[in-house]
Amino acid sequence: MNLEAFLTEVKSRFPGASFEQAGQDWVLRVPAAEWEAVAGYLAGHGPRFDYLSSLTAVDRGDRLELVLHLRALAAGERLTVKTDLNREQPEVASVTGIWKTANWHEREVYDLFGVVFRGHPKLRRILLAEDFEGHPLRKDYVDPRRRKVEGQA
Amino acid sequence: MSKPLLELLIAGIKFALVLGFVSVNALFLIWLERKVSARIQNRMGPIYVGRPQGWLQTAADALKLLTKEDIIPAGADRLTFVVAPAVLFTSAVLLFVVIPFGPGLIVRDLKLGVAYAAAVSGLAVISLVMAGWGSNNKYSLVGALRSASQMISYEVSLILAMLSVVILAGSLSTVEIVEAQSRIWFIALQPLGFLIYFIALLAELNRAPFDLPEAESELVAGYNTEYSGMRWAIFFLAEYANLFAGSALAVTLFLGGWQGPWLPPVVWFFLKTFLVIVVAMWLRWTLPRVRPDQLTSLGWKLLLPAALVNLGVTGFLVLAG
Amino acid sequence: MTTAEKTATQSEEVLEQVLTVNFGPQHPSTHGVLRVVARIRGEYLQDAEPDLGYLHRCFEKIAEGWTYPQIVPLTDRLDYLAAITNEWAYVLAVEKLLGLQVPERAEYIRVIVGELQRILSHLLWMGAYALDLGATTPFLYVFQERERLYDLMQLVTGARMTYNYLRIGGVKRDLPPEFFPLLEKALDNVLKVADEYQALVLENVIFQARTKGIGVLPPDLARQYAISGPMLRGSGVAWDLRRSEPYSVYDRFDFAVPTGQNGDCYDRAVCRVEEIRQSARIIRQAVAGLPAGEVRAKVPAAIRPPAGEVYTAIESPRGELGVYLVSDGGPQPYRLKWRAPSFVNLQVLPEIARGAKVADFIAILGSIDIILGEVDR
């Protein structure tokens, strides 16, 4: 079964989903509410995307975009899965139950973007100190220690 | 001068000689270890202080260590912490009492020489446990416990290997044991005994591949993690003093002591002892470290039965004539 | 806490027979500034929890403020033992966004220096791992070889560790002619050292007793944790991006992907040593087939990739090194995500170290081959 047919099947199962081809890669977009369900389906069906290469986020200004890069080792397929999160209160279900490797990736996204993953076993900051304030990879983050150089008018 | 006073004076001079010898010799051994390891690792080793071979490097190091600040950790058990290195050094020095460097060249030829050596070398473990506990540091504690279990495991085999020599010589005196080897060295009669003794000695001395108590990659520096300056230097010196004493004992028991043709006896004794030491160094810089449980199981399951069998067979053969 | 209180808590811990021990951030065997909080009961490890971030340098944030060519030297500092492969992963992503065709000679040169880098990295690992297990001497021998290889790298790139050699669209300059005879000799030496290591370390009884059956990582668990590189291959999964998803010109070379059977520390070690030999093979093929021509494509002075995004992954010495690059059409990346293999591989440590002995823990940690510069970024 080729990837396009599989994605069509995914779309029929999860009506909120949509997919497109960008270059050689396929991108599947799903609503945040179906995030975990779709992830579970992808991991266990079709080419079996059993290998989560990376999980990260992008601050798109008006929303936070969560991005999964999946591989199916046996079938040699690649898939990108995305969802949009509310920027003010980003919250989504954790996929640690599906891919164990998601654990640290989600902690990193929590740390740097402030996305809360429901059901994560130990959602704590990972790279930054526990008492750090703010989420630096958000575009509106301002380093409090940064001083402005004022030019003479 | 009255006789007891004279004897006391002579004993004092002997003690000072031994102490001086032990310290200088340990410094020399440290230099030797650095040179041997350097050659094994394709390096130069120390070359600058005391050109051309860096003779004075260890003396300079010792001097530097003596001038360093004396640090005792706030949470340490002061008394145990301070006394531990001294105990180790004392046990090392005491061993030298029964080592015959040549005919007549012995501090005191005790009738129970071998038993005395076994007893004194057992003191070392107390010092390590003191250091580990007194430091109030977890690495030190684990290191000390490791060394305790290790030494207990190997002490038995070590002594059993010594006993088979005692049976052959019919004496516990180190001098008489050497004299008994005038015809044939005991290593020829006791190859297995020597092997057991040597392996157990390495373990007893905490040397690689059995250097678990101070396994750097695991326990930082084991029992001496918290030690610095002079106290650490004493630990270090004692370690090398023990290495020399253990090797000298191996030579005495198995390699004919001072005996040998042409050369003066003392030269023979030192030649053999340094040969044993260099072999120990060679092993240290070649082998990886074994795991604590592998070490103990080697000790209890292999060395101890082998030593027992060896002892039994020796006893039987001696009885049978 | 007062001294008395401290002693009290420690005695309590002793009574419970469980000690909480910090391995790192200052510890001889943590390979950098990793901190692992371990709970040990006697010689047994009950739990180990890595604590990261001591080397965090906000790489991804800094990258958002720098132009595309400026970031190349920045990537050198991530996995500082494999600077070339870092640069490679990054420039590959930018080139894909730009739709840029790299001259063939440049691709071959990249393969040559990239594989040299892999050898360098694996050599260091070999020495450091022997050191972890208490054998000091192999470290010195591999370092001699590394020095010679670094001389070669210096000849080509002008630097010994952080090269800044790859460019978007090619490489900085061509290989000098005196490089080739030296390379031939250096490869011979490397193969000799690999054989020596095999005979003296891998086949040593104590080494085998310390690594066989230790830290077993079953293939299923490896996939669950998205392990990559020699660690994944040691578990018997023949997955190498150079083979299964060929980038650059790797599809033209003949090389084997070594795999282990048991997924223990020993298999990982064997895989790495074998990979050195395979890398030497690849380099020789690349030198033999080195085409003539330019080493740099024509690239505009100001690089502004069209809006879009790309995920490229290459096989670094430690595994899948992924770069997720998002462009908004500006001169700086909109978002740059570094999928560091060390970061991902380290995550499995508590899982495979639980219940191990303290000494084994060091053997397991060492066999993962992490670089903290890459873990913490």
Side-chain angles (χ1 to χ4, degrees):
Chain A
M1 179 164 61
N2 74 11
L3 197 54
E4 192 174 358
F6 175 65
L7 289 178
T8 317
E9 187 194 311
V10 173
K11 190 169 157 45
S12 67
R13 219 166 244 278
F14 302 95
S18 65
F19 62 90
E20 59 182 345
Q21 194 172 17
Q24 295 158 339
D25 291 338
W26 288 91
V27 180
L28 178 70
R29 290 184 168 278
V30 296
E34 287 177 345
W35 181 247
E36 194 189 6
V38 173
Y41 188 78
L42 292 174
H45 297 82
R48 286 180 189 278
F49 290 95
D50 53 355
Y51 191 94
L52 173 63
S53 275
S54 118
L55 183 160
T56 189
V58 182
D59 184 357
R60 291 288 186 182
D62 53 340
R63 64 205 150 89
L64 285 180
E65 193 178 63
L66 210 56
V67 187
L68 283 184
H69 293 286
L70 295 173
R71 284 178 191 284
L73 285 200
E77 297 280 10
R78 255 166 71 163
L79 179 64
T80 307
V81 187
K82 292 184 173 182
T83 190
D84 289 333
L85 301 177
N86 177 348
R87 210 164 168 286
E88 306 313 315
Q89 266 189 326
E91 204 181 301
V92 73
S94 166
V95 292
T96 42
I98 300 158
W99 302 283
K100 286 185 176 166
T101 184
N103 190 327
W104 282 14
H105 288 297
E106 289 182 352
R107 277 178 69 185
E108 191 183 317
V109 172
Y110 165 73
D111 193 354
L112 305 175
F113 287 93
V115 176
V116 175
F117 292 90
R118 279 192 311 271
H120 188 284
K122 203 173 191 176
L123 198 61
R124 277 193 332 199
R125 287 191 183 270
I126 185 164
L127 293 177
L128 303 176
E130 287 285 308
D131 55 357
F132 193 89
E133 277 172 28
H135 303 286
L137 276 184
R138 286 184 171 218
K139 290 286 178 187
D140 55 0
Y141 176 80
V142 182
D143 187 346
R145 289 166 307 175
R146 191 163 185 153
R147 283 180 297 171
K148 258 197 195 126
V149 181
E150 307 243 342
Q152 282 174 353
Chain B
M1 223 188 294
S2 63
K3 209 173 167 226
L5 208 63
L6 192 72
E7 258 184 18
L8 202 66
L9 191 70
I10 292 174
I13 292 170
K14 275 185 175 176
F15 179 72
L17 276 176
V18 168
L19 206 61
F21 171 75
V22 168
S23 308
V24 173
N25 186 49
L27 286 181
F28 172 72
L29 283 180
I30 295 168
W31 172 85
L32 183 70
E33 175 113 288
R34 291 173 72 170
K35 275 301 190 191
V36 168
S37 68
R39 296 328 300 182
I40 287 176
Q41 296 174 346
N42 226 342
R43 295 185 286 122
M44 298 292 289
I47 48 170
Y48 291 110
V49 188
R51 284 164 199 267
Q53 287 297 319
W55 285 99
L56 295 175
Q57 182 64 53
T58 45
D61 287 346
L63 215 59
K64 184 206 75 175
L65 286 168
L66 285 176
T67 58
K68 282 181 93 168
E69 187 192 351
D70 180 26
I71 300 170
I72 299 175
D77 185 335
R78 283 186 80 93
L79 186 67
T80 2
F81 185 82
V82 170
V83 170
V87 172
L88 189 66
F89 197 72
T90 311
S91 82
V93 173
L94 285 178
L95 259 182
F96 281 81
V97 168
V98 291
I99 291 169
F101 293 88
L105 264 180
I106 181 169
V107 176
R108 186 157 277 237
D109 179 18
L110 293 175
K111 284 273 163 299
L112 286 171
V114 173
Y116 167 84
V120 167
S121 67
L123 280 178
V125 65
I126 300 177
S127 150
L128 303 193
V129 172
M130 279 167 79
W133 181 259
S135 301
N136 196 3
N137 173 311
K138 290 165 185 172
Y139 300 122
S140 305
L141 186 64
V142 174
L145 293 179
R146 276 188 180 186
S147 66
S149 75
Q150 173 174 339
M151 290 195 162
I152 291 166
S153 314
Y154 280 81
E155 196 97 51
V156 187
S157 315
L158 190 76
I159 293 171
L160 286 178
M162 285 167 146
L163 273 186
S164 43
V165 169
V166 170
I167 290 178
L168 284 180
S171 166
L172 277 167
S173 150
T174 44
V175 172
E176 280 172 35
I177 287 175
V178 173
E179 278 161 358
Q181 300 178 68
S182 57
R183 215 159 41 78
I184 184 164
W185 295 358
F186 285 156
I187 189 176
L189 306 174
Q190 287 285 341
L192 183 62
F194 178 73
L195 201 66
I196 293 168
Y197 179 87
F198 189 65
I199 293 174
L201 180 70
L202 290 180
E204 186 81 5
L205 292 171
N206 296 331
R207 283 186 71 83
F210 307 120
D211 57 343
L212 319 168
E214 41 194 313
E216 184 183 86
S217 52
E218 296 154 30
L219 299 174
V220 189
Y223 59 82
N224 60 29
T225 303
E226 293 287 358
Y227 282 86
S228 59
M230 192 185 68
R231 286 179 225 291
W232 182 81
I234 292 177
F235 262 126
F236 210 59
L237 285 182
E239 222 167 85
Y240 281 90
N242 266 324
L243 172 65
F244 185 87
S247 307
L249 218 54
V251 169
T252 306
L253 295 175
F254 293 97
L255 298 175
W258 67 72
Q259 312 215 25
W262 308 305
L263 296 170
V266 182
V267 175
W268 267 115
F269 175 80
F270 276 100
L271 268 182
K272 291 177 193 170
T273 307
F274 279 114
L275 182 72
V276 175
I277 290 174
V278 168
V279 170
M281 287 179 177
W282 177 20
L283 287 177
R284 168 165 176 187
W285 297 106
T286 309
L287 295 177
R289 179 185 306 125
V290 300
R291 215 169 51 203
D293 60 310
Q294 291 167 344
L295 174 88
T296 25
S297 75
L298 174 75
W300 291 113
K301 292 183 184 162
L302 194 74
L303 279 194
L304 184 62
L308 277 173
V309 168
N310 188 45
L311 185 64
V313 170
T314 311
F316 178 77
L317 288 179
V318 168
L319 267 187
Chain C
M1 237 194 290
T2 65
T3 313
E5 276 175 69
K6 236 185 224 164
T7 318
T9 39
Q10 182 161 343
S11 325
E12 228 167 76
E13 281 186 327
V14 173
L15 284 181
E16 268 178 43
Q17 298 184 318
V18 177
L19 290 178
T20 308
V21 179
N22 275 314
F23 287 97
Q26 289 143 344
H27 187 276
S29 73
T30 48
H31 302 268
V33 281
L34 172 68
R35 171 169 173 237
V36 180
V37 183
R39 290 166 55 76
I40 58 172
R41 191 188 173 94
E43 284 279 348
Y44 288 89
L45 202 76
Q46 286 198 323
D47 203 11
E49 167 92 24
D51 182 16
L52 313 179
Y54 287 87
L55 210 60
H56 183 53
R57 291 154 296 173
C58 326
F59 165 72
E60 290 173 13
K61 185 74 182 173
I62 293 173
E64 287 176 13
W66 288 19
T67 63
Y68 284 93
Q70 279 180 326
I71 294 170
V72 176
L74 199 56
T75 60
D76 283 341
R77 273 83 184 162
L78 294 164
D79 178 353
Y80 38 76
L81 288 179
I84 289 280
T85 42
N86 295 347
E87 294 172 9
W88 201 351
Y90 171 71
V91 297
L92 202 64
V94 182
E95 283 156 9
K96 258 197 181 167
L97 265 186
L98 285 168
L100 196 65
Q101 191 63 41
V102 180
E104 244 185 28
R105 188 173 172 87
E107 292 282 19
Y108 272 75
I109 293 175
R110 283 180 182 183
V111 168
I112 293 170
V113 288
E115 293 302 321
L116 272 178
Q117 184 76 82
R118 190 181 315 275
I119 293 177
L120 272 165
S121 172
H122 280 350
L123 276 179
L124 179 88
W125 177 85
M126 280 159 52
Y129 195 55
L131 205 57
D132 280 346
L133 296 180
T136 335
T137 302
F139 192 72
L140 277 297
Y141 278 81
V142 299
F143 258 70
Q144 276 172 9
E145 232 33 72
R146 276 168 56 82
E147 282 308 305
R148 286 187 197 126
L149 290 181
Y150 270 145
D151 288 344
L152 276 179
M153 294 302 267
Q154 191 177 3
L155 195 65
V156 177
T157 68
R160 289 174 83 82
M161 247 184 118
T162 45
Y163 309 107
N164 189 17
Y165 179 61
L166 266 52
R167 290 288 183 273
I168 296 165
V171 297
K172 186 163 77 182
R173 58 175 184 182
D174 206 347
L175 298 174
E178 63 267 35
F179 171 76
F180 297 98
L182 289 174
L183 174 73
E184 200 46 44
K185 226 170 105 192
L187 286 183
D188 283 341
N189 280 333
V190 163
L191 291 176
K192 227 171 72 195
V193 165
D195 288 343
E196 250 177 35
Y197 191 84
Q198 173 115 29
L200 291 173
V201 180
L202 292 185
E203 285 170 22
N204 180 301
V205 185
I206 300 177
F207 181 86
Q208 295 196 352
R210 288 294 307 276
T211 54
K212 276 194 171 168
I214 304 300
V216 176
L217 176 66
D220 278 342
L221 195 66
R223 262 183 237 123
Q224 274 274 308
Y225 274 100
I227 304 297
S228 52
M231 245 194 123
L232 178 65
R233 294 191 280 278
S235 294
V237 182
W239 178 265
D240 186 325
L241 290 170
R242 292 174 294 173
R243 168 64 52 79
S244 43
E245 210 170 76
Y247 52 95
S248 188
V249 286
Y250 273 113
D251 46 355
R252 303 184 195 171
F253 302 121
D254 176 32
F255 64 100
V257 177
T259 55
Q261 286 118 37
N262 307 316
D264 51 12
C265 295
Y266 181 74
D267 280 1
R268 280 167 228 150
V270 171
C271 278
R272 288 196 176 98
V273 175
E274 186 55 33
E275 273 176 31
I276 286 183
R277 300 196 179 107
Q278 297 302 331
S279 289
R281 261 178 83 189
I282 296 175
I283 294 174
R284 291 212 157 116
Q285 292 171 50
V287 169
L290 190 66
E294 286 292 308
V295 295
R296 243 166 121 178
K298 291 268 175 288
V299 180
I303 294 175
R304 287 167 180 270
E309 57 174 65
V310 69
Y311 178 84
T312 55
I314 71 167
E315 187 75 24
S316 96
R318 270 155 274 283
E320 176 180 342
L321 175 54
V323 174
Y324 176 54
L325 188 61
V326 182
S327 163
D328 60 350
Q332 295 141 354
Y334 187 74
R335 168 97 173 92
L336 174 61
K337 154 82 183 170
W338 203 260
R339 191 266 188 207
S342 294
F343 177 79
V344 180
N345 288 357
L346 179 61
Q347 196 180 168
V348 82
L349 175 71
E351 190 97 28
I352 56 177
R354 198 165 293 137
K357 303 187 181 69
V358 175
D360 289 342
F361 168 69
I362 303 298
I364 295 168
L365 178 61
S367 76
I368 298 178
D369 189 15
I370 49 163
I371 296 298
L372 261 293
E374 189 184 59
V375 174
D376 289 345
R377 284 157 290 157

